[in-house]
Amino acid sequence: MKTMEGQFDYIVVGAGTAGCIVANKLSADPKNRVLLLEAGGKDNWIWFHIPVGYLFAIGNPRSDWLFKTEPEAGLNGRALAYPRGKVIGGSSAINAMISMRGQSADYDHWRQLGLTGWGWSDVLPEFRKLEDHFLGTSEHHGVGGGWRIEAPRLSWKVLDAVREAAAQMGIQKIPDFNTGDNEGSGYFHVNQKFGRRWSSARGFLKPVLSRKNLRVETNVLADRLIIDKGRAVGVRYKQGNDVVEVRAAREVILCAGSIGSIQILQRSGIGPGEWLRDLGIEVALDKQGVGRNLQDHLQQRAIYKVRGVRTLNETYHSLWRRAGMGLDYALRRRGPLTMAPSQLGIFTRSDATRDRANIQFHVQPLSLDRFGEPLHRFPAITVAACNLRPTSRGTIRINSASLETKPSIAPNYLSTPEDKQVAADAIRVTRRLMRQEALAPYAPEEFLPGPAVGDDDASLAKAAGDIGTTIFHPVGTAKMGLASDPLAVVDERLRLRGIEGLRVADASIMPTITSGNTNTPTAMIAAKGAGFILEDAR
């Protein structure tokens, strides 16, 4: 056992989307000595920076933890790959780059749960301060922050037609999904700068690496917390062949995400007592919510063949066109290499009884069986609809006390009647969209789930299980809540209930999932968490 030399006030575990922001804000005061620990390495690989690099980063052990879910009953026994970023910048280095806050009602709901300071009017200033937005300063957006947001740098005729088809269904075209109400259609704004991915590491960590009071250690596997008399006083980690202990004079902040933070807590003896005792782990704090309340967005990935219009599928299988893509990117930082995984978004309601948009479409000018496999050889688009506010809840639990063992991830998709109904209705909405007159010139032909799938609830729910896949938004596994909530893990200031000197500031603290991509909300949570830490230290 080694002891790290140096003294630190704060230890931040995880240099992903949240950790980079927390470390930046804490170290802005030169009096604060900050240590940032990251399990992955440096982002010195070209595919971390070219936007389309997600195709190569996801499923690669250099950049991805390579988690998998348990076989899911709701997915007809299928298990899914569950990518998580393993590099500075975390999942923001391999994700879809989509800038999406969710809906104002998401945060007002948090406030209605009794979580003071988390309503839309409370979080909007944090979103604005984080941003460097291409639209400039307004009541909705800010400039000068570390989080660069730009418009997409290419367009597709077939996606314009899908947007027009949505308008023919009564879904309005809107210029910006991030004003509090995202119902409508539009092109996603992206975390990029001049055609390059803009991760949390690029925006918040790299600009401050010269600070003498900030130390960053990479390729560090955080094993467990050091707890003394009910207080977190440090972290034990493995780096190479060395096991090292380091102490924090003030606080330890977990920013390792909805999976990583949970593994560390459970290995530290903080979690459901019965789970821990089964593994021979001494229970430091029986906390039933640690690893429960897992929520994720499941999408039904419908694919339609099209005619008479260009998609990326043809370009992918043409050596000359691929060369042209590379040249366009090298010379102008434009073209398909700048593409986010999804370009066109549509937020709408799965049925008329919904009080706000509850499904999100990710529309792509391409198709493939799964990430890591070649695009199809026929022209096609993917029209994937996801349930924004699922009622299914899953679990994450470690399988052993060893940090080398991967956890059990059981999202429990489509385990409630409501989620099955929304999935079935979402496929119906997809079919209605593709029948609109605006798309008639391209003769869309359903490839998945396929014309043989009937329109009744049972057939569509089964089809949803066959084609459903995650869009990588795990949240909620260390939920924020009141002391009266038996599953609450942290309070409204992100302090872990029952252990002093310990906070969690990442996507795991969401009590309920936000209505859209979750990376931007995670950044906001980190910024607010850092603010709480600084306020409480005064």
Side-chain angles (χ1 to χ4, degrees):
M1 184 80 66
K2 292 187 175 182
T3 301
M4 177 185 278
E5 294 181 3
Q7 296 179 317
F8 302 97
D9 297 300
Y10 301 103
I11 300 173
V12 182
V13 183
T17 296
C20 289
I21 294 170
V22 171
N24 175 306
K25 291 186 176 295
L26 294 184
S27 64
D29 183 343
K31 295 178 182 177
N32 291 334
R33 301 160 299 176
V34 180
L35 173 64
L36 177 62
L37 303 176
E38 167 55 37
K42 297 178 180 178
D43 61 346
N44 53 0
W45 183 37
I46 189 171
W47 295 118
F48 287 134
H49 306 293
I50 297 177
V52 81
Y54 68 89
L55 287 171
F56 307 98
I58 291 175
N60 188 316
R62 175 175 184 166
S63 46
D64 182 357
W65 282 98
L66 302 180
F67 293 132
K68 290 196 76 169
T69 70
E70 298 296 324
E72 289 280 299
L75 302 185
N76 303 324
R78 291 186 300 126
L80 301 179
Y82 218 61
R84 296 283 89 197
K86 188 181 181 183
V87 61
I88 61 166
S91 292
S92 74
I94 69 170
N95 71 355
M97 297 164 283
I98 292 172
S99 175
M100 183 65 59
R101 296 171 179 172
Q103 299 167 2
S104 60
D106 298 332
Y107 303 97
D108 289 341
H109 173 62
W110 293 3
R111 185 164 55 192
Q112 289 159 9
L113 293 174
L115 299 169
T116 304
W118 290 94
W120 176 249
S121 61
D122 304 306
V123 301
L124 180 57
E126 294 292 350
F127 283 125
R128 293 182 69 251
K129 283 188 288 186
L130 282 168
E131 289 182 344
D132 184 25
H133 205 287
F134 78 100
L135 290 175
T137 303
S138 69
E139 63 177 308
H140 301 299
H141 295 297
V143 297
W147 207 233
R148 180 62 186 170
I149 299 165
E150 295 189 348
R153 297 172 71 84
L154 79 166
S155 61
W156 296 85
K157 185 177 181 181
V158 68
L159 298 189
D160 292 338
V162 174
R163 194 180 188 201
E164 193 60 42
Q168 291 174 347
M169 286 175 58
I171 301 170
Q172 65 177 334
K173 298 177 182 180
I174 61 174
D176 184 359
F177 287 128
N178 287 308
T179 63
D181 180 3
N182 55 18
E183 188 162 7
S185 75
Y187 290 94
F188 293 121
H189 298 161
V190 290
N191 294 123
Q192 293 182 12
K193 188 169 186 177
F194 302 131
R196 286 169 62 88
R197 176 188 289 273
W198 196 255
S199 71
S200 184
R202 291 192 70 195
F204 296 96
L205 181 60
K206 290 186 175 184
V208 301
L209 284 176
S210 61
R211 289 176 181 170
K212 291 183 171 58
N213 62 323
L214 174 62
R215 178 169 172 176
V216 180
E217 291 287 331
T218 55
N219 299 302
V220 165
L221 285 173
D223 183 8
R224 64 196 66 192
L225 303 166
I226 302 169
I227 300 171
D228 183 22
K229 298 176 183 177
R231 182 178 183 85
V233 297
V235 177
R236 179 184 299 172
Y237 64 84
K238 186 177 180 183
Q239 190 173 36
N241 293 321
D242 295 327
V243 176
V244 184
E245 288 191 351
V246 60
R247 302 279 171 147
R250 288 185 173 174
E251 293 192 32
V252 177
I253 304 100
L254 294 181
C255 297
S258 292
I259 300 173
S261 289
I262 298 312
Q263 291 176 278
I264 295 165
L265 287 170
Q266 291 179 359
R267 284 197 297 264
S268 304
I270 302 170
E274 63 276 21
W275 292 3
L276 303 177
R277 282 187 287 270
D278 285 346
L279 299 174
I281 296 173
E282 184 178 349
V283 179
L285 179 67
D286 188 336
K287 206 70 180 167
Q288 288 294 313
V290 174
R292 290 195 167 100
N293 192 50
L294 172 62
Q295 299 159 60
D296 189 15
H297 288 139
L298 183 78
Q299 65 177 356
Q300 284 72 243
R301 214 165 55 87
I303 294 173
Y304 282 79
K305 295 181 177 181
V306 292
R307 302 176 194 166
V309 67
R310 184 172 63 95
T311 74
L312 190 62
N313 289 11
E314 306 94 281
T315 303
Y316 179 87
H317 290 287
S318 164
L319 182 61
W320 293 109
R321 287 177 177 174
R322 289 170 72 173
M325 282 168 41
L327 189 63
D328 194 17
Y329 186 78
L331 296 177
R332 303 193 308 142
R333 291 286 187 266
R334 291 190 176 276
L337 292 188
T338 69
M339 277 175 54
S342 299
Q343 293 76 53
L344 178 68
I346 302 171
F347 289 81
T348 188
R349 309 177 196 209
S350 60
D351 67 82
T353 68
R354 306 289 167 174
D355 61 351
R356 54 186 168 119
N358 72 313
I359 56 174
Q360 174 185 6
F361 282 92
H362 291 266
V363 191
Q364 306 159 305
L366 56 87
S367 66
L368 70 172
D369 289 331
R370 61 185 62 86
F371 276 118
E373 296 191 7
L375 304 188
H376 290 141
R377 289 191 169 273
F378 48 80
I381 62 173
T382 300
V383 189
C386 80
N387 180 357
L388 290 172
R389 292 183 294 279
T391 54
S392 297
R393 298 291 183 267
T395 58
I396 290 174
R397 55 191 294 184
I398 58 174
N399 284 310
S400 98
S402 168
L403 56 76
E404 312 291 346
T405 306
K406 289 184 178 179
S408 170
I409 301 170
N412 217 16
Y413 295 122
L414 300 177
S415 59
T416 66
E418 182 177 345
D419 285 358
K420 290 178 181 177
Q421 186 65 57
V422 171
D425 289 339
I427 295 174
R428 290 190 181 101
V429 175
T430 306
R431 286 174 164 176
R432 192 160 75 248
L433 173 69
M434 299 307 290
R435 288 197 298 264
Q436 297 301 311
E437 185 179 345
L439 286 164
Y442 311 123
E445 177 188 345
E446 185 175 318
F447 178 72
L448 278 181
V453 174
D455 204 46
D456 59 286
D457 284 349
S459 297
L460 292 175
K462 182 183 182 303
D466 289 334
I467 66 173
T469 187
T470 175
I471 42 176
F472 322 132
H473 297 162
V475 307
T477 48
K479 69 177 285 192
M480 176 171 55
L482 301 181
S484 57
D485 182 346
L487 293 185
V489 176
V490 301
D491 67 13
E492 71 278 4
R493 296 182 75 81
L494 308 189
R495 297 171 295 205
L496 195 131
R497 294 186 180 277
I499 300 285
E500 294 188 359
L502 178 61
R503 296 193 207 224
V504 185
D506 57 33
S508 67
I509 68 94
M510 294 187 195
T512 51
I513 196 166
T514 52
S515 300
N517 305 69
T518 53
N519 196 52
T520 298
T522 300
M524 178 276 295
I525 288 165
K528 278 186 73 71
F532 294 147
I533 294 165
L534 294 170
E535 288 171 7
D536 292 348
R538 293 190 189 114

